[in-house]
Amino acid sequence: MVSFLLALIILLSALTGCQKANAQYTHTPGFELSSEAVFVMDVNTNDIIYEKNADKLMFPAALTQMLTALVAMEKTQDLNSEVTVPDGFSPLQGSESSPIGTASAGETFIMQDLLHCVIMNTDNTAATLIAQAAGGGDINSFISLLNEKAKVLGTKSTNFINPTGIHDTHNYTTARDMAAIAAAAVSNTAYMEIASKTAYTFAADNQSSRNVTSNLSILSTAGEYPAGTKEIKFSAGEDTGSSLVCVLEQDGLKIVAVLMGAPYSVDGAAVYADMKKLLGWASSTCVLAIPPKSGDTILTIGVSGNFNIKELPLKTEKNLSDLLPKKAQLKDIQLFCCIPSGINKPVNSGEVLGKADIIYNGKKTNSVNLLAVGSVTEAGKQSSVPDILLTVGIVFLSLFLLLLIIRQINIIRYRKKRQRALEQRRRQMRRELEKGTANSSVRRK
């Protein structure tokens, strides 16, 4: 396994000094895809596996409803709360076969049921109703929430003007941005629980039950795709072409694949064919390597001069997990550490002192900062936490003793002052007594 070999390399073959890779390594399939824009990434590592026109502006169409559902879930405290169809509402385009396609003013639905309609079987009417409910009765407020959430998820070139994805030239995104939204969906347990269902039945006001059948084809043809494949959202329109979002979870990987703008057909034959080839290639080509985890000590640097330590350990700032080809051999993989040859000055704990790169066939696949474990201080000037606490304790004790001494001095001064006052009072009383005695003698004579 590459992960095992790489661990050995890190323990035994870490090279110091600065080594520059010739280029960034990228995975490249040996086939063409009909989809106009493609983006494939591993959610766990954020590694890009493959991209094609990833930043080209595309129309999201029904893929929009992934984010509509996510925002509605986030903004609704109780998913079992009721959603009432407002006055003047009429079912939207594309909802003719929807289980709520005949929704009328005053009718009530449960938010959870509407979410099933949106996630399992793209439903414009359901998407509009949950947008109105989650937006406080105002669609425009919900659209603002959509765009705010998109930015939070890291999108750069995305704009939504409706919650359904009904075609409009002002509704646009990119395959890269849509992958960021899809990554949020696959990380949402409630969303994925609904997306994994093939059928769902719920009660309604004016009929005993309504049925939702998933339009996610891979759920029924899973054997044709790599094990661990799940379909997230499918979209097809004459104006937008066919688009598809899937996730592949296998051997520690969580690969999100976004295909957009494949030739249009109602069943999305072209985009499903692309996805089958792409995920098949990814699952047979990529493997997750597990180098040091965040905080692991990777090597040490010598410290010269009059300092508190002679060697300074370095740790990784974050996980260095990476994707490498399954065909990778031990001889083709190296870990290069660009660090100083030695330390001859003070260093703060956590300070960045270098970088570690994974190199495969001369090309860099990933890198991470190396941080100082502990500090380097001049000998005799260490400032460890216990020393600081001791110093603070000594200061407080000194102040306490000083206050006691001052108090004792004041007591002694007070007593002396009081004693002098008493002596003066006694002397005055004796003088007055002597004076009174003398006066009495004079009167007797």
Side-chain angles (χ1 to χ4, degrees), residues 321-389:
S321 298
D322 202 6
L323 291 178
L324 294 174
K326 285 186 175 179
K327 65 180 181 180
Q329 300 295 314
L330 178 62
K331 62 182 178 63
D332 300 324
I333 310 169
Q334 292 175 306
L335 179 71
F336 284 102
C337 298
C338 182
I339 57 174
S341 57
I343 300 294
N344 58 7
K345 62 179 182 179
V347 173
N348 295 321
S349 180
E351 185 175 333
V352 177
L353 293 180
K355 184 177 67 171
D357 294 333
I358 294 180
I359 308 295
Y360 171 65
N361 276 344
K363 296 181 179 181
K364 182 172 71 174
T365 67
N366 207 352
S367 64
V368 65
N369 287 331
L370 297 177
L371 312 180
V373 179
S375 58
V376 177
T377 60
E378 293 181 21
K381 293 187 177 181
Q382 296 93 333
S383 57
S384 64
V385 172
D387 289 343
I388 292 173
L389 293 176

Side-chain angles (χ1 to χ4, degrees), residues 172 196 199 230 243 251 298 310:
Y172 55 82
S196 299
K230 295 178 182 177
S243 298
D251 297 330
I298 191 171
K310 296 301 182 183

Side-chain angles (χ1 to χ4, degrees), residues 193-258:
E193 183 179 337
I194 295 174
S196 299
K197 297 178 181 180
T198 57
Y200 178 75
T201 301
F202 63 95
D205 280 0
N206 56 8
Q207 60 188 76
S208 58
S209 64
R210 303 192 185 198
N211 300 311
V212 184
T213 301
S214 176
N215 71 345
L216 305 180
S217 301
I218 292 178
L219 291 175
S220 59
T221 58
E224 301 177 17
Y225 295 81
T229 300
K230 295 178 182 177
E231 185 175 351
I232 309 303
K233 182 59 72 175
F234 166 72
S235 172
E238 294 181 2
D239 296 317
T240 61
S242 298
S243 298
L244 182 61
V245 178
C246 289
V247 60
L248 168 63
E249 296 187 72
Q250 186 182 89
D251 297 330
L253 301 174
K254 184 180 278 190
I255 297 174
V256 163
V258 176

Side-chain angles (χ1 to χ4, degrees), residues 395-412:
V395 170
F396 274 106
L397 180 60
S398 299
L399 289 173
F400 178 71
L401 292 174
L402 180 59
L403 290 173
L404 283 179
I405 292 170
I406 292 173
R407 182 175 181 274
Q408 193 62 32
I409 291 172
N410 288 335
I411 289 173
I412 293 172

Side-chain angles (χ1 to χ4, degrees), residues 432-444:
E432 289 177 353
L433 183 59
E434 290 172 356
K435 184 178 179 180
T437 304
N439 290 338
S440 296
S441 300
V442 170
R443 283 195 296 269
R444 281 197 299 270

Side-chain angles (χ1 to χ4, degrees), residues 21-271:
N22 295 328
Q24 182 76 33
Y25 178 79
T26 56
H27 301 275
T28 305
F31 50 80
E32 295 295 323
L33 298 172
S34 64
S35 298
E36 190 173 349
V38 181
F39 192 77
V40 187
M41 65 176 286
D42 179 62
V43 174
N44 293 329
T45 64
N46 289 323
D47 285 326
I48 299 170
I49 298 173
Y50 176 71
E51 60 179 291
K52 169 188 171 182
N53 298 328
D55 297 310
K56 181 178 181 178
L57 291 183
M58 304 292 291
F59 299 121
L63 302 190
T64 302
Q65 295 188 29
M66 285 192 297
L67 190 58
T68 296
L70 288 172
V71 172
M73 288 176 167
E74 184 178 291
K75 298 300 178 181
T76 305
Q77 292 184 351
D78 181 7
L79 295 183
N80 290 313
S81 59
E82 290 187 345
V83 176
T84 302
V85 179
D87 292 337
F89 183 87
S90 58
L92 275 70
Q93 154 192 342
S95 297
E96 294 79 8
S97 59
S98 161
I100 61 168
T102 58
S104 57
E107 190 173 355
T108 60
F109 296 94
I110 302 300
M111 176 63 80
Q112 184 77 263
D113 299 334
L114 295 178
L115 286 169
H116 278 73
C117 294
V118 168
I119 296 172
M120 292 174 59
N121 187 0
T122 301
D123 191 314
N124 294 335
T125 297
T128 302
L129 288 175
I130 67 173
Q132 287 183 327
D138 184 0
I139 287 285
N140 290 328
S141 294
F142 185 82
I143 292 169
S144 295
L145 294 175
L146 278 184
N147 288 305
E148 288 171 9
K149 184 63 174 180
K151 286 182 172 60
V152 168
L153 294 176
T155 65
K156 305 295 183 184
S157 306
T158 292
N159 185 67
F160 297 110
I161 63 167
N162 62 55
T164 61
I166 290 176
H167 181 59
D168 189 293
T169 55
H170 296 95
N171 226 36
Y172 55 82
T173 187
T174 65
R176 189 187 308 274
D177 283 359
M178 196 51 65
I181 294 171
V186 302
S187 299
N188 186 300
T189 303
Y191 187 104
M192 292 304 297
E193 183 179 337
I194 295 174
S196 299
K197 297 178 181 180
T198 57
Y200 178 75
T201 301
F202 63 95
D205 280 0
N206 56 8
Q207 60 188 76
S208 58
S209 64
R210 303 192 185 198
N211 300 311
V212 184
T213 301
S214 176
N215 71 345
L216 305 180
S217 301
I218 292 178
L219 291 175
S220 59
T221 58
E224 301 177 17
Y225 295 81
T229 300
K230 295 178 182 177
E231 185 175 351
I232 309 303
K233 182 59 72 175
F234 166 72
S235 172
E238 294 181 2
D239 296 317
T240 61
S242 298
S243 298
L244 182 61
V245 178
C246 289
V247 60
L248 168 63
E249 296 187 72
Q250 186 182 89
D251 297 330
L253 301 174
K254 184 180 278 190
I255 297 174
V256 163
V258 176
L259 305 180
M260 302 184 73
Y264 167 74
S265 65
V266 175
D267 62 358
V271 76

